[in-house]
Amino acid sequence: MVTQPLLTQPVSIFLAVMLIILLAPLLLNKLKIPHVIGLILAGVIVGPSGFNLLARDMSFQVFGQVGLLYLMFLAGIEIDMFHLKKNLKKGLVFGLFTFLIPLVLGALAGFFFLDLDLLTSLLLAAMFAAHTLIAYPIVSRFGLTKEPAVIIAIAGTIFTVLGSLIVLAGVVGVFREGSFHLGRILRLFGYLILYCALIVYAYPRLTRWFFKRYSDGILQFIYVLAMVMLGAEIARWIGIEGVFGAFFSGLVLNRYVPARSSLMTRLEFVGNAIFIPYFLIGVGMLINVRGVVTSWDSVYAAIVMSAVAMGTKWIAAYITQRIYHLSTLNRSILYQLSNAHTAVALAVVMIGYNMGLFDESILNGTIIMILITCTVSSLGTSHAAQRLKIEQLTADDEDQPVATGKNGAARRPSHILIPVASPITAPELVDMALMMRGRDKTGSKVYALHVRNDNSASSRALGRNSLDTAEQAAASVDEKLYPLERYDLNFITGVKNTIEERDIDRVIIGLHRRNNIIDSFFGSKVDNLLHATNKMVMISRLFIPLNTVTRIVVAVPDKAQYETGFADWVRSLGNLTRQVGCRVIFSCFEETRHAIEGVLRAGRFDIRSEFQPMEQWDDFILLANKVLDDDLFVVVSARRSSISFSADMDTIPDFLQRYFSQNNLLVIYPEQFGEQPELPTMSATLSSDVIATPSPLWLKVMKLYRRGIALRKRFTHRNRQPRIPDLPTDLE
């Protein structure tokens, strides 16, 4: 007899779920039990077989299904594509083992121990073969998503899910039609190939267009979520489980959602706070405790199924460990991540139960198996992840030497200064600074500075608005930014004094807009700043968001490796490349190439790096036709008194104006040895600014000037006076 649950009002139901999500982790953390298990047990307690507080109504079905898709999507969006490609072969081998071994042994166990016929045993084995990454949030919380064992497990998951669904389709076809049809399986493979081709072709182009056109964070979040659900729905429509569509959509969108971005923060927050807990609670509500207690057949089926499910997964992990010489901890991570059975197991048992292939004992046994495997997987993953994280931290402390200064003293933490003049450009500079900062943030601070030289209300309001915008941009990715508002004689004095007071190591500033015709390429402020400080200065100009950059192309001068700040800018670009997830191409001399490779190797930057030979410094002009609109072009320059400076660098502003006026640009002046700043010289290069448009007054003056030239030619053509040349067209 079905009784009415205690809570039936929408607000009461939602309140109860929120209290469960809030209190379950708090209570079980004291017992050292992962909150994943707590949510499943909470579902058992409040569900129909427990105290019957809540019914597994449509809200749990909707949010639970979305939560499962969200779980697989996060696994795809957080994975490092470089590491996935490196470990793809291992993942496919593990997927083959973790699919075939449970399939074969599970079918034999069902035939001999559960007295099922061969067809039903094969269907039962399909749920043993597939697994769900129920413990993935645990390794994500420990920051182990880039570990080889984790990536191998994720790659194996997709293999097993697809394999189990194909077995399910074959068994259902035989049961309904009485014979096996190879055409049905081939048609499914054809749909799968077309589906993958469609997603790979359409999603990147549509996403790049949308992100360039719409920068609002909420719109981008809704867009990503809609694309995930669309991918899952199309997969379900062609006969493939939606979990594959969600995961594959995450892999394709991975490139456009950097790890340190406000969009990633929103995606993780919503998933971990709402959808995934709903899914876990719904799994617990499926467990019929009374049916298990009153039926020996259910207990026996649960014991056999749990033993086969966990034992066969351990065998697959052990064989993979022996083949690829993995450590014991990596084998534990590999096994525990692949040990939980949820999504496909529920789909298989419900289909088999509705078709009459499975009885109630198999249904109850499957639910108990799900609880046991999820509990063991969560506990085992938490224990192994803690040990692996401690082992990593210990190895990093032993391998990484202590950075020292000139006098042998320990080097101070790196601090970044971002001068902001407008709330429009502040988020772009903050994103650049945070992505360039390394994973080790101990003692490192990021400052945003606004310098003003008057006390007017408008100047104060502009400064406060710029700093608030910068602070919000950092807070959206859970980063701390320190705003500084300074009244000083001028911009250069304010920045210079802040550098000295806050021990700043690098300054990231936006490329200015031209004020007059004789203004230099970088502007008088940047030119004077380069003379006033020997710290690293980066000048940035972006036309597109950083997460839509396809490549980073770097032009490096000869002898750049001898500069004091050489390793710092290489590490900064390495961090940026790792966060964006694109390729980086260094155009440099042979000796410099070896030095760059050494820095990347020492910093363990597992990024896609390429090198192109350079014979002379102005060879980077040849890159003009190769650097695309979606690339970031980085020019490593040098101050006049530095080792890598050459006379050819005086032409850089003209080259950038002429050949790279429409490209995304980052110009780096590395830190220079010595405490005294460079003395200003009279040979500072003057050139036009490439991003500024002439003022309306200047355009009117030029128009009148050219009209005067036309009139002069008309009245003096008989005298054949020399023609006065027009101004360069790039000023129009």
Side-chain angles (χ1 to χ4, degrees), residues 450-464 485:
H450 180 82
V451 181
R452 55 183 175 83
N453 56 7
D454 66 83
N455 281 322
S456 63
S458 59
S459 179
R460 287 176 176 269
L462 177 62
R464 192 64 261 169
E485 187 175 7

Side-chain angles (χ1 to χ4, degrees), residues 70 73-74 77-78 211 214-225 257-276 427 431 469 472-478 547:
Y70 216 109
F73 162 68
L74 287 182
I77 202 74
E78 291 181 353
F211 282 4
Y214 303 101
S215 59
D216 182 74
I218 297 178
L219 286 178
Q220 291 185 354
F221 171 81
I222 298 299
Y223 166 82
V224 171
L225 199 57
V257 186
R260 274 184 211 167
S261 64
S262 58
L263 180 57
M264 176 63 81
T265 303
R266 293 187 182 96
L267 290 170
E268 290 181 334
F269 172 79
V270 173
N272 293 325
I274 302 294
F275 292 120
I276 295 177
D431 289 343
T469 304
Q472 291 171 6
S476 65
V477 292
D478 293 331
N547 59 339

Side-chain angles (χ1 to χ4, degrees), residues 610-641:
E610 300 176 7
F611 294 87
Q612 293 183 352
M614 178 185 289
E615 297 180 357
Q616 51 187 345
W617 172 231
D618 57 358
D619 280 354
F620 75 81
I621 302 176
L622 302 177
L623 298 173
N625 296 327
K626 299 180 180 179
V627 177
L628 307 177
D629 292 340
D630 291 335
D631 295 343
L632 173 61
F633 184 48
V634 181
V635 179
V636 181
S637 189
R639 295 173 175 86
R640 280 189 163 272
S641 58

Side-chain angles (χ1 to χ4, degrees), residues 204-205 208-209 212 255-256 542-553 580 582-583 626-633 662-664:
R205 289 165 174 79
R208 191 179 291 113
W209 172 85
K212 288 180 181 179
R255 168 67 183 76
Y256 305 97
L542 291 177
F543 295 114
I544 63 175
L546 267 175
N547 59 339
T548 60
V549 171
T550 56
R551 299 181 306 173
I552 299 177
V553 183
V580 177
C582 62
R583 286 186 299 157
K626 299 180 180 179
V627 177
L628 307 177
D629 292 340
D630 291 335
D631 295 343
L632 173 61
F633 184 48
Q662 301 301 321
N663 295 102
N664 308 295

Side-chain angles (χ1 to χ4, degrees), residues 229-255:
M229 297 305 152
L230 177 62
E233 182 62 21
I234 296 176
R236 188 193 62 80
W237 180 70
I238 64 175
I240 304 173
E241 190 66 24
V243 292
F244 172 79
F247 178 80
F248 193 72
S249 298
L251 284 180
V252 176
L253 295 174
N254 178 294
R255 168 67 183 76

Side-chain angles (χ1 to χ4, degrees), residues 217-349:
I218 297 178
L219 286 178
Q220 291 185 354
F221 171 81
I222 298 299
Y223 166 82
V224 171
L225 199 57
M227 290 298 101
V228 173
M229 297 305 152
L230 177 62
E233 182 62 21
I234 296 176
R236 188 193 62 80
W237 180 70
I238 64 175
I240 304 173
E241 190 66 24
V243 292
F244 172 79
F247 178 80
F248 193 72
S249 298
L251 284 180
V252 176
L253 295 174
N254 178 294
R255 168 67 183 76
Y256 305 97
V257 186
R260 274 184 211 167
S261 64
S262 58
L263 180 57
M264 176 63 81
T265 303
R266 293 187 182 96
L267 290 170
E268 290 181 334
F269 172 79
V270 173
N272 293 325
I274 302 294
F275 292 120
I276 295 177
Y278 249 105
F279 163 67
L280 297 174
I281 295 172
V283 170
M285 296 175 71
L286 286 172
I287 299 175
N288 186 2
V289 179
R290 297 186 183 92
V292 175
V293 173
T294 58
S295 174
W296 164 249
D297 292 338
S298 298
V299 175
Y300 175 73
I303 294 175
V304 173
M305 294 170 66
S306 300
V308 172
M310 293 189 295
T312 53
K313 291 295 182 180
W314 185 89
I315 294 173
Y318 178 77
I319 294 176
T320 305
Q321 177 205 7
R322 302 298 295 178
I323 292 177
Y324 294 110
H325 307 289
L326 301 177
S327 65
T328 304
L329 277 179
N330 277 286
R331 184 197 65 198
S332 298
I333 293 287
L334 188 63
Y335 165 59
Q336 298 296 354
L337 282 176
S338 62
N339 193 23
H341 298 71
T342 304
V344 178
L346 287 174
V348 170
V349 73

Side-chain angles (χ1 to χ4, degrees), residues 435-455:
M435 288 188 182
M436 282 188 170
R437 188 166 62 160
R439 289 175 291 185
D440 184 14
K441 310 174 190 175
T442 306
S444 176
K445 295 181 180 180
V446 179
Y447 297 94
L449 172 68
H450 180 82
V451 181
R452 55 183 175 83
N453 56 7
D454 66 83
N455 281 322

